[in-house]
């Protein structure tokens, strides 16, 4: 299958000089189609996409903003697509935030993303220091290698469904008062047969956050399937993560951020990540905000678990709702249809036909 490269024209000509070279190396010998303007984004359903985003020194790209607007206005524009992305900037700032913004918009338009879909070129390329050392090359060589490997994975990898997938559902909420838990109970009732569901509550007192052990210590405990701090993560969560085909994060929006215990889970997952990758595990989320900001929490999940920890991101991975009073989420206009669609997405992503 040929690739479609979505490569918005930058505001100033010099801003994509380095990215041009990276793309030439990564796409060498491959059949590609390149789209550079928002009005060209038509007829893309079901395709493999590579987003290439030049940001220059200001972290902006006006043609990209037009594309972003189009994605948000056309919720089926990228139906059935799978994508990766390369984001290139001239400073240490903006590349990650632009990437998570783009991934969320494309995902809501139906696009799935590989685990670890982002190749990020910051101004100095210092973010490639470890990769360059491991590959015995310079920073630019590591950047080229990462881009080429992303293209290879985009062409070759596909997410496999299972006969009896296990869902791991993580929360840190009260069953009696949580709108997020109320929505999950409705989703679970719609899943039907074929799933094994494991729910684990990460309430206060059950989980210590990561304290930043030295790399070698973290690696040592990870290779033994554990963590220096042990506890619930080592005894229940790690084994469940290994077994699961899908991870469902139940995320009430606290102060426009993930709750402390869910953040601690992500941080502590590093020890397990040292010895295994999660490309074959899909990420889903229910996000409920009291007033606004569900997109912020969804982007945090994308950055931490899809881009960093390598979970596969299926199209429309998150159901985001706004509700405050207990039980309010289940009375929202159209909520039953949205719950039906979310449950159907879980089934079609994970369950073999």
């Amino acid at each position: 299958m040929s690739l479609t490269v979505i490569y918005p024209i930058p505001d100033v000509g010099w801003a994509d000089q380095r990215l041009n070279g990276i793309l030439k190396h990564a796409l060498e010998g491959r059949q590609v189609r390149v789209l550079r303007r928002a009005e060209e984004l038509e007829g893309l359903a079901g395709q493999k996409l590579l987003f290439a985003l030049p940001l220059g020194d200001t972290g902006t790209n006006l043609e990209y903003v037009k594309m972003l607007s189009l994605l948000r206005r056309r919720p089926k524009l990228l139906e059935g697509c799978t994508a990766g992305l390369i984001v290139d900037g001239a400073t240490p700032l903006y590349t990650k935030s632009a990437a998570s913004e783009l991934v969320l918009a494309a995902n809501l338009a139906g696009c799935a993303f590989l685990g670890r879909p982002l190749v990020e070129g910051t101004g100095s390329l210092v973010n490639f220091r470890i990769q360059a050392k491991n590959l015995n090359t310079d920073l630019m060589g590591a950047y080229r290698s990462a881009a080429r490997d992303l293209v290879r994975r985009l062409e070759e990898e596909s997410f496999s469904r299972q006969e009896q997938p296990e869902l791991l559902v993580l929360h840190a909420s009260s069953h009696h008062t949580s709108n997020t838990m109320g929505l999950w109970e409705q989703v679970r009732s719609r899943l039907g047969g074929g799933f094994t569901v494991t729910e684990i509550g990460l309430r206060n007192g059950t989980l210590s956050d990561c304290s930043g052990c030295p790399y070698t210590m973290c690696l040592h405990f990870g290779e033994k399937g554990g963590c220096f701090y042990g506890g619930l993560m080592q005894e229940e969560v790690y084994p469940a993560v290994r077994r699961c085909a899908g991870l469902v994060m139940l995320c009430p929006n606290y102060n426009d951020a993930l709750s402390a215990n869910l953040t601690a889970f992500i941080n502590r997952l590093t020890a397990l990540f040292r010895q295994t990758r999660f490309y074959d595990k899909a990420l889903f989320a229910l996000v409920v905000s009291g007033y606004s900001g569900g997109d912020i929490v969804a982007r945090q999940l994308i950055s931490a678990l899809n881009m960093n920890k390598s979970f596969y991101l299926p199209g429309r991975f998150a159901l985001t709702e706004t509700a405050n009073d207990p039980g309010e989420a289940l009375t929202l206009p159209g909520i039953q249809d949205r719950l039906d669609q979310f449950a159907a997405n879980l089934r079609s992503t994970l369950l073999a036909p």
Side-chain angles (χ1 to χ4, degrees):
M1 180 183 293
S2 63
L3 290 177
T4 296
V5 180
I6 300 177
Y7 183 12
I9 298 170
D11 303 343
V12 289
W14 60 264
D16 63 351
Q17 290 177 2
R18 185 170 69 178
L19 185 53
N20 272 326
I22 292 297
L23 289 173
K24 183 178 179 180
H25 177 81
L27 299 170
E28 184 178 6
R30 291 173 167 86
Q31 180 183 355
V32 299
R33 178 173 63 132
V34 181
L35 308 179
R36 304 216 64 181
R37 295 192 179 278
E39 57 265 26
E40 297 174 331
L41 304 188
E42 294 289 347
L44 296 173
Q47 297 188 25
K48 295 288 185 77
L49 307 177
L50 178 65
F51 291 95
L53 180 55
L55 293 176
D57 58 352
T58 63
T60 59
N61 181 315
L62 295 181
E63 193 62 37
Y64 158 65
V65 172
K66 294 178 184 177
M67 292 182 178
L68 186 66
S69 175
L70 185 64
L71 290 171
R72 290 172 173 171
R73 285 185 283 112
R74 300 273 298 278
K76 295 185 178 181
L77 183 63
L78 304 183
E79 195 72 39
C81 293
T82 303
L85 68 161
I86 303 172
V87 180
D88 188 90
T91 78
L93 305 178
Y94 315 124
T95 45
K96 280 259 176 67
S97 59
S100 65
E101 175 187 60
L102 171 55
V103 169
L104 179 59
N107 185 261
L108 291 174
C111 187
F113 283 83
L114 301 172
R116 296 200 109 179
L118 172 63
V119 172
E120 175 195 19
T122 62
S124 66
L125 298 183
V126 69
N127 56 305
F128 284 104
R129 183 173 56 186
I130 301 300
Q131 294 97 314
K133 182 178 179 180
N134 292 339
L135 294 171
N136 193 28
T137 186
D138 60 10
L139 298 177
M140 181 59 74
Y143 189 6
R144 292 193 189 100
S145 177
R148 191 167 182 85
D149 185 62
L150 174 63
V151 171
R152 178 195 60 78
R153 291 199 300 117
L154 185 56
E155 289 183 325
E156 297 176 1
E157 291 181 9
S158 60
F159 187 81
S160 297
R161 295 183 285 178
Q162 300 181 12
E163 295 289 341
Q164 185 77 32
E166 179 170 341
L167 272 180
L168 171 59
V169 182
L170 294 181
H171 69 89
S173 304
S174 166
H175 283 268
H176 302 293
T177 60
S178 169
N179 276 298
T180 318
M181 292 298 297
L183 290 178
W184 164 244
E185 289 166 5
Q186 290 293 311
V187 171
R188 181 168 182 170
S189 71
R190 288 164 161 80
L191 289 179
F195 285 92
T196 300
V197 179
T198 300
E199 295 184 14
I200 300 178
L202 306 176
R203 301 298 301 277
N204 289 336
T206 66
L207 181 64
S208 298
D209 201 350
C210 174
S211 293
C213 289
Y215 174 82
T216 53
M217 181 185 293
C218 185
L219 180 62
H220 169 75
F221 281 95
E223 287 173 343
K224 296 180 180 298
C227 171
F228 177 78
Y229 297 96
L232 180 72
M233 280 293 294
Q234 179 171 312
E235 296 163 9
E236 295 187 39
V237 179
Y238 285 171
V241 170
R242 288 194 190 92
R243 295 192 311 265
C244 78
L247 170 65
V248 183
M249 299 286 287
L250 305 186
C251 305
N253 176 4
Y254 295 138
N255 303 305
D256 294 330
L258 287 168
S259 68
N261 286 351
L262 295 181
T263 299
F265 155 72
I266 293 170
N267 293 339
R268 289 281 300 278
L269 198 59
T270 300
L272 185 60
F273 182 72
R274 300 287 191 207
Q275 64 156 351
T276 186
R277 296 295 185 262
F278 308 124
Y279 298 117
D280 60 343
K281 304 177 189 301
L283 172 65
F284 298 89
L286 291 171
V287 180
V288 180
S289 301
Y291 300 101
S292 65
D295 57 313
I296 295 175
V297 174
R299 286 173 59 178
Q300 289 171 353
L301 291 168
I302 289 169
S303 295
L305 290 171
N306 169 243
M307 292 182 178
N308 189 291
K309 292 295 188 287
S310 78
F311 283 82
Y312 171 76
L313 195 76
R316 303 184 185 92
F317 89 103
L319 177 64
T320 59
E321 300 293 340
T322 302
N324 199 322
D325 296 332
E328 182 181 353
L330 295 177
T331 67
L332 295 171
I335 188 61
Q336 299 303 320
D337 288 341
R338 294 194 294 278
L339 288 168
D340 288 343
Q341 292 165 9
F342 187 74
N345 192 25
L346 274 164
R347 290 184 61 85
S348 63
T349 299
L350 299 176
L351 191 61

